[in-house]
Amino acid sequence: MLMKKQVYKAHVIYTKEKDRFEVMENGYVAVDADGRVSGVASNLSSLDCEDAEVTDFGDRLLIPAMNDLHVHAPQYRNQGIAMDLELLPWLQKYTFPEEMKYADLGYAERMYRRFVRDLWRFGTMRACVFATIHTESTLLLMRLFQEAGMGALVGKVAMNRNCPEGLSESVEDMVRGYESIIGELNGALVRPIITPRFIPSCTPEMLHACGELAAKYQLPVQSHLSENKDEIALVQLLEKESSCYGDAYDHYGLFGQTPTVMAHCVWTEGEELELMKRRGVMVAHCPTSNFNVASGMAPIRKFLDEGLQVGLGSDISGGHDLSIFRMMVYAIQVSKIHYQRQREQSSSGSKARFLTLSEAFWLATKSAGSFFGRVGTFEPGYAFDALVIDDSDLNHDHYSLLERLERYIYLGDDRQIMHRFCQGKEIAEPNISSTLC
């Protein structure tokens, strides 16, 4: 059913380009019956909205909703533990044992309901999500997103080597599982995404089958790339004919042949970076995870200067925080450390710059949103995914609107998000009560 046209009044802040904010004090955003922005203006009379209902949010901030480009839903329960391990032992000792529990639909529903509710709580209306190898619990997660009215690309994880027996399945079972998911749930807001965990966990036959599924059904792809030096060395051992990690994915049709997002890219450079540019592969930057599992610092300024598409990811539970607002802060802080190191190492003086607030905000909204379609800004034709922020308890008197936004990003929390919208619909708090008998 089509919605009635709506107009929302508030202090409107968004980005068209990464270098600057668009700010309208007491501005108006018009939303059409399909849930898309039809206009933005500083006065109502300039919008063609005579028959629209006007909602006035008063002295509140109206901003685009957050997008999480990389998160592992079955690792939700493991947030904040095992932070003293590097990537490969962390997977074996903590992550794989937790993911095996999702063969139990009852356990999966309890955890997944809380996961979806907490995404909602932190203002994340769309996410690229890893599930597990389990087809039924993956379908359950997709139904929960659909029930909530939130957007998601959800991946049934493909893996059949270097993992416990309980997390390995045959190529044939993986393909059958994906095709049953595609047949049941492949809509506008919630869709499957082809998800080989990473090269070390998939045989060539498994990777080839993933590439064929992506091509046959024109589905996007997500995985991990150049996160950790030990991981890169293992890929070189397993894929001897590939010139780099990215080339291994490319060999199997998993590197931009359909829309592709690769998490981390901490050590991406040279040929791999050039291949990503040619293929249009997007980077999911996960700053807390990269520090927690001692992977390193991704060179995000370099990626942006080279024209790569970049968004932010929480990477629960390598990352310990589900808030994309805090990912903005961490991304800026990481870039400042990277910037300072470059200055110290450059005899002629580095011209590198650290990320600005507008760039970090753009990464979380319009740039990350582009992986889901026309999402992440208030430009006409884009989905109205939005948050209404009441920052009055941050003592915002005498601050400009941009200063108020900056203070919310650094100091605010989910209790100050008063309203959440996805594709034009206000999203109520998802139910966390189990419905399975």
Side-chain angles (χ1 to χ4, degrees):
M1 178 185 293
L2 291 178
M3 299 178 295
K4 184 179 178 181
K5 291 182 180 179
Q6 301 282 336
V7 174
Y8 299 99
K9 181 184 179 185
H11 302 311
V12 179
I13 306 175
Y14 63 103
T15 52
K16 293 180 180 178
E17 306 294 337
K18 66 179 182 294
D19 300 321
R20 65 186 179 92
F21 285 103
E22 306 294 324
V23 182
M24 286 189 185
E25 184 175 5
N26 296 311
Y28 296 85
V29 179
V31 181
D32 68 20
D34 294 317
R36 296 194 171 273
V37 176
S38 59
V40 184
S42 57
N43 57 79
L44 185 59
S45 61
S46 63
L47 298 172
D48 182 21
C49 293
E50 293 80 4
D51 59 341
E53 179 180 328
V54 179
T55 301
D56 188 345
F57 290 123
D59 189 37
R60 293 172 175 175
L61 308 179
L62 178 61
I63 65 172
M66 299 296 103
N67 303 285
D68 191 334
L69 267 193
H70 184 70
V71 59
H72 293 260
Q75 296 176 25
Y76 167 79
R77 189 170 180 269
N78 274 1
Q79 290 178 88
I81 62 171
M83 297 289 95
D84 56 351
L85 295 177
E86 291 192 23
L87 175 64
L88 299 182
W90 174 81
L91 286 171
Q92 296 292 338
K93 292 183 179 181
Y94 285 89
T95 301
F96 290 159
E98 177 63 19
E99 291 191 7
M100 289 173 68
K101 297 176 184 177
Y102 285 76
D104 178 348
L105 274 181
Y107 183 82
E109 185 181 18
R110 288 195 302 276
M111 293 299 107
Y112 281 159
R113 281 191 177 277
R114 286 169 171 77
F115 168 74
V116 172
R117 191 276 307 270
D118 275 1
L119 281 178
W120 172 90
R121 189 161 66 88
F122 288 115
T124 298
M125 291 293 103
R126 304 202 191 217
C128 275
V129 185
F130 279 58
T132 61
I133 70 163
H134 309 104
T135 300
E136 289 306 314
S137 61
T138 301
L139 269 169
L140 170 64
L141 177 59
M142 296 176 77
R143 292 189 195 107
L144 292 176
F145 274 111
Q146 190 175 58
E147 175 187 297
M150 294 158 60
L153 295 167
V154 180
K156 168 185 159 63
V157 172
M159 55 197 298
N160 65 345
R161 68 175 171 185
N162 294 322
C163 62
E165 185 177 345
L167 286 179
S168 178
E169 66 177 342
S170 70
V171 173
E172 294 76 19
D173 285 346
M174 183 276 292
V175 171
R176 277 194 294 270
Y178 257 107
E179 291 188 328
S180 69
I181 290 170
I182 293 164
E184 184 163 339
L185 270 174
N186 190 15
L189 272 179
V190 182
R191 298 185 65 205
I193 181 170
I194 302 301
T195 307
R197 185 178 207 108
F198 64 163
I199 294 287
S201 67
C202 299
T203 62
E205 294 77 17
M206 180 71 82
L207 292 164
H208 183 71
C210 285
E212 287 188 330
L213 282 169
K216 180 178 179 180
Y217 296 102
Q218 285 301 288
L219 290 174
V221 170
Q222 64 177 348
S223 195
H224 302 84
L225 179 68
S226 297
E227 178 179 2
N228 173 281
K229 287 193 171 182
D230 289 341
E231 167 206 14
I232 295 168
L234 182 54
V235 172
Q236 290 173 336
L237 182 66
L238 295 170
E239 293 285 333
K240 292 184 173 64
E241 294 183 2
S242 296
S243 58
C244 61
Y245 200 159
D247 184 53
Y249 284 116
D250 193 50
H251 177 74
Y252 299 105
L254 296 166
F255 210 63
Q257 289 80 0
T258 60
T260 301
V261 59
M262 288 284 165
H264 306 301
C265 305
V266 172
W267 303 102
T268 291
E269 59 184 358
E271 180 182 351
E272 185 168 272
L273 191 151
E274 292 301 317
L275 184 60
M276 292 184 77
K277 288 165 60 176
R278 290 200 304 273
R279 296 289 196 221
V281 174
M282 194 164 189
V283 176
H285 177 40
C286 308
T288 57
S289 173
N290 294 341
F291 275 177
N292 287 341
V293 296
S295 296
M297 296 184 293
I300 299 305
R301 166 60 62 206
K302 179 177 181 180
F303 291 164
L304 293 178
D305 289 346
E306 291 280 351
L308 284 182
Q309 289 181 284
V310 182
L312 297 180
S314 65
D315 193 25
I316 298 300
S317 67
H320 61 275
D321 197 327
L322 203 54
S323 169
I324 297 300
F325 286 104
R326 289 197 282 270
M327 289 310 110
M328 291 187 222
V329 176
Y330 297 137
I332 291 169
Q333 291 172 338
V334 168
S335 76
K336 288 179 177 178
I337 298 171
H338 204 280
Y339 160 79
Q340 189 60 36
R341 284 190 175 182
Q342 286 184 303
R343 290 189 64 187
E344 291 171 355
Q345 294 169 1
S346 174
S347 59
S348 59
S350 174
K351 296 182 180 179
R353 296 165 290 129
F354 50 77
L355 289 178
T356 64
L357 186 70
S358 69
E359 289 174 319
F361 189 85
W362 178 83
L363 292 177
T365 56
K366 187 176 181 180
S367 185
S370 68
F371 198 72
F372 302 94
R374 291 173 68 80
V375 172
T377 181
F378 293 148
E379 295 169 67
Y382 279 75
F384 184 68
D385 288 17
L387 306 176
V388 178
I389 309 294
D390 182 353
D391 63 332
S392 57
D393 60 351
L394 292 178
N395 300 315
H396 62 59
D397 292 348
H398 312 300
Y399 289 108
S400 70
L401 291 179
L402 284 183
E403 288 169 338
R404 286 172 58 179
L405 175 63
E406 182 174 28
R407 281 168 58 81
Y408 175 75
I409 290 170
Y410 276 83
L411 303 177
D413 62 41
D414 57 280
R415 293 169 296 180
Q416 294 155 317
I417 304 176
M418 299 292 104
H419 303 274
R420 300 155 175 85
F421 295 86
C422 184
Q423 194 74 41
K425 286 183 60 178
E426 183 163 5
I427 306 301
E429 181 173 0
N431 180 20
I432 63 169
S433 300
S434 176
T435 59
L436 288 179
C437 296

